[in-house]
Amino acid sequence: KQWYQRRVAITAGISVSHKDWHGSISRFGKVIDKQLTENVSFFTNRDLITGRNSHLLHQLICEHFLRQGNLDLVEKFITESGHQLEECRKRPFVDLNQIVGCLKRRDLEPALRWCENNRPALKKRGSSLEFMLHRLNFITLIKERNTAAALTYAQILGQFVDTHKKQLQRLMGSLLYISTAIENSTYNDLMDPQHWVDICEMFTKEACSLMGLSKESPLSITVDAGCKALPALNSIRQVMEAKQLWGLKDELPCEVDLGPSCQFHSLFACPILRAQCTKSNPPMRLECGHVISNDALKRLAISNKVKCPYCPQETSPSEAKQIYF
């Protein structure tokens, strides 16, 4: 009887949970149907998908999968799309993912060997990656309370004394607590597991930089920017279509804010016209050093002379130099 009552109670609990899940899933579908009512095919660049530039999109997709280490998926995509990807473009990503995988397993040796092979380039960039890897190795020895090995390893850290003196002082100070609970000392932040997550991101950033690539996948950035901009673009389209202005210009009639994560280039707003400079209206540097837009330069020009709006110096418009950011 007790077994039967327990079975009934379990069955009733499962039934209630099932109803909750079923209700949530059914409502989710209705919400999607209600929200995604707009036809966004208007914004599709068909030349990029099926036209002569489709190979650029295929290359972008392959690179995204390679960054994630999905080599089987890349091979499948190449087979189905017919895209040609040279082996020399795959190899760096394969090595990158193998080393990152080792870092996630807390194996620092492959990353240290990579740093040794690329030391001149890393030094030229002012990178601290190699030091951070050695630092984690030292912290691991401290955590294991291996005093002899930590003291020996400290000699390796000596090569970084000119560039990371303060951090080395903290590491050496942590030796005082190696036989006690370092987690309860002022050096407990050295034991934070977040350091392993940070070193993976740091290695990926440095490796991609040496390969001439961005830290983030261009495909991820593009999709993220598109999702943020699509609602605003759709509203603009409806207004411009009503006024028959859509497609007449290569630039939007207003700015679409994508947030600081999607800002990659410096911008210049003309202090005279209070407008952002563009390719057709670039920033121009006057002989005195002040910068205004090209349109402002033309408006200020009188008898082949321009008086700087910020200082009394006069100059010829032909002597103004275009500024490139």
Side-chain angles (χ1 to χ4, degrees):
K1 184 178 180 179
Q2 291 179 353
W3 177 84
Y4 174 76
Q5 291 175 345
R6 187 168 55 187
R7 188 184 67 174
V8 170
I10 293 173
T11 304
I14 294 174
S15 178
V16 172
S17 300
H18 179 267
K19 288 180 180 178
D20 293 339
W21 278 100
H22 179 74
S24 300
I25 292 173
S26 60
R27 287 194 296 272
F28 183 69
K30 293 177 181 177
V31 169
I32 292 177
D33 294 337
K34 183 179 179 180
Q35 296 295 327
L36 302 181
T37 57
E38 298 289 348
N39 181 11
V40 296
S41 60
F42 186 85
F43 303 101
T44 303
N45 186 341
R46 300 192 180 279
D47 182 57
L48 186 60
I49 297 177
T50 58
R52 55 189 176 86
N53 292 324
S54 60
H55 68 282
L56 298 175
L57 179 60
H58 294 165
Q59 182 175 325
L60 202 65
I61 294 172
C62 286
E63 182 183 311
H64 177 76
F65 291 145
L66 285 170
R67 283 172 176 262
Q68 296 181 326
N70 297 320
L71 303 181
D72 294 339
L73 193 56
V74 172
E75 295 298 334
K76 186 69 174 177
F77 178 79
I78 290 174
T79 302
E80 295 188 3
S81 66
H83 179 67
Q84 300 295 326
L85 186 65
E86 298 176 357
E87 186 65 29
C88 61
R89 294 186 64 88
K90 291 187 203 175
R91 189 71 249 173
F93 289 104
V94 174
D95 296 339
L96 171 64
N97 283 284
Q98 287 177 347
I99 296 175
V100 171
C102 290
L103 288 174
K104 289 179 179 179
R105 296 190 297 271
R106 303 198 173 187
D107 180 8
L108 297 170
E109 291 305 316
L112 286 170
R113 286 196 299 269
W114 183 89
C115 286
E116 186 177 350
N117 295 333
N118 295 276
R119 186 172 292 161
L122 291 172
K123 281 188 175 181
K124 187 176 180 180
R125 284 177 45 82
S127 171
S128 59
L129 175 61
E130 187 173 7
F131 168 75
M132 298 305 291
L133 290 168
H134 282 296
R135 175 177 175 268
L136 272 179
N137 246 346
F138 184 81
I139 291 172
T140 301
L141 296 173
I142 293 292
K143 193 172 183 179
E144 295 172 353
R145 299 183 178 179
N146 192 337
T147 307
L151 289 172
T152 302
Y153 204 85
Q155 298 176 9
I156 298 176
L157 294 174
Q159 61 183 306
F160 303 102
V161 68
D162 293 332
T163 54
H164 299 85
K165 183 177 180 179
K166 289 187 176 180
Q167 293 192 57
L168 283 173
Q169 288 173 343
R170 289 207 75 222
L171 291 176
M172 296 304 107
S174 65
L175 286 169
L176 298 173
Y177 297 88
I178 195 169
S179 59
T180 58
I182 192 173
E183 293 82 2
N184 300 326
S185 70
T186 55
Y187 301 95
N188 60 347
D189 58 293
L190 298 177
M191 302 294 117
D192 192 346
Q194 182 63 32
H195 293 315
W196 291 96
V197 178
D198 294 341
I199 201 65
C200 290
E201 294 180 358
M202 187 178 187
F203 177 82
T204 302
K205 177 182 177 181
E206 295 293 344
C208 288
S209 296
L210 292 188
M211 289 190 291
L213 302 172
S214 62
K215 176 188 174 185
E216 302 293 338
S217 165
L219 183 62
S220 297
I221 295 173
T222 303
V223 171
D224 181 49
C227 292
K228 291 178 180 178
L230 197 57
L233 291 177
N234 195 48
S235 300
I236 296 170
R237 175 180 70 89
Q238 293 172 353
V239 173
M240 295 188 71
E241 277 186 331
K243 296 183 178 181
Q244 298 182 348
L245 295 174
W246 185 266
L248 299 181
K249 295 183 177 181
D250 291 333
E251 54 189 64
L252 299 173
C254 66
E255 182 180 358
V256 179
D257 186 14
L258 300 179
S261 62
C262 290
Q263 293 180 1
F264 303 99
H265 303 284
S266 300
L267 303 176
F268 178 79
C270 177
I272 305 301
L273 301 182
R274 307 287 183 183
Q276 183 176 311
C277 287
T278 62
K279 290 182 179 179
S280 59
N281 180 31
M284 306 294 292
R285 180 185 180 277
L286 302 179
E287 193 175 10
C288 58
H290 293 111
V291 181
I292 60 177
S293 67
N294 190 48
D295 287 349
L297 179 66
K298 292 177 180 178
R299 292 190 186 186
L300 293 173
I302 301 176
S303 301
N304 201 32
K305 287 289 184 180
V306 174
K307 183 177 180 180
C308 176
Y310 294 100
C311 67
Q313 184 171 340
E314 288 189 352
T315 184
S316 171
S318 60
E319 294 176 348
K321 305 295 183 181
Q322 183 173 341
I323 298 293
Y324 296 90
F325 290 104

